[in-house]
Amino acid sequence: MKTISSLSLLLLFAACGPHHPAGPTVISLNYQQADIQKQFDTLYNYQQASPGVYKGFIEQALAICHGSGKDSVTQDVFSSMYLNLGSGQYDCVTTTVFRFPDGTITATGVFNLTPGDTIAPDHDFPITGGAAAYRNITGIYTRKYRNGVYHVELRYHSTNH
């Protein structure tokens, strides 16, 4: 009987021990300039800080993404870009929503852009939410631009227990 009690206690302690979470889920996507539809609007009624440099922009973009193994993946981007007169760069607050057939993943972050640059710098933004199949996730959205191709990685864990 002592053997069975000891074995039961051992199993109970093992079940209460630390759990090692599974590795993250990774979705890899890519797109090119031809996959992007853009719309820009100037803020402050077209007020310029200097020739060709506006005090702010709003950018909305839609990109058709490839490579996830899922059909019909789009990336919707909304950026507010305000000229920081101290640094001479735009402070860009960006929200990106990836739309998959089974739900959405949202990431939000900040980067700086030099007036005249047309491609945002590489960035890592925290995943701030998801819907449907991606509800209750946390992770990182990484975007890198290399040789005319935008490379995206969504690396996340489910927070469901």
Side-chain angles (χ1 to χ4, degrees):
M1 193 64 160
K2 277 188 175 181
T3 307
I4 293 176
S5 301
S6 298
L7 186 56
S8 296
L9 280 174
L10 242 167
L11 288 173
L12 179 64
F13 286 128
C16 294
H19 294 280
H20 301 286
T25 299
V26 178
I27 298 173
S28 295
L29 305 168
N30 63 69
Y31 58 97
Q32 297 179 10
Q33 198 67 34
D35 297 318
I36 303 173
Q37 302 170 31
K38 289 186 189 177
Q39 179 66 45
F40 287 95
D41 190 12
T42 58
L43 302 173
Y44 307 113
N45 299 318
Y46 297 92
Q47 292 180 16
Q48 292 185 334
S50 62
V53 178
Y54 292 94
K55 290 187 177 181
F57 284 101
I58 293 177
E59 175 195 11
Q60 293 178 282
L62 170 73
I64 306 301
C65 299
H66 311 281
S68 70
K70 299 182 180 212
D71 295 332
S72 184
V73 178
T74 60
Q75 175 186 0
D76 294 329
V77 178
F78 180 84
S79 291
S80 297
M81 298 179 265
Y82 298 93
L83 185 61
N84 180 324
L85 297 175
S87 69
Q89 293 188 318
Y90 290 110
D91 293 335
C92 303
V93 179
T94 301
T95 299
T96 303
V97 178
F98 293 90
R99 298 186 187 284
F100 298 93
D102 57 348
T104 61
I105 296 175
T106 303
T108 300
V110 177
F111 62 87
N112 299 104
L113 187 67
T114 301
D117 286 356
T118 58
I119 297 174
D122 293 349
H123 49 267
D124 295 309
F125 290 168
I127 291 174
T128 55
Y134 307 99
R135 193 170 51 122
N136 299 323
I137 64 169
T138 185
I140 297 289
Y141 150 55
T142 300
R143 205 248 31 219
K144 296 181 183 207
Y145 181 77
R146 301 286 182 271
N147 301 318
V149 178
Y150 297 88
H151 300 276
V152 170
E153 183 177 270
L154 300 166
R155 181 177 295 270
Y156 64 90
H157 293 277
S158 174
T159 57
N160 292 329
H161 299 292

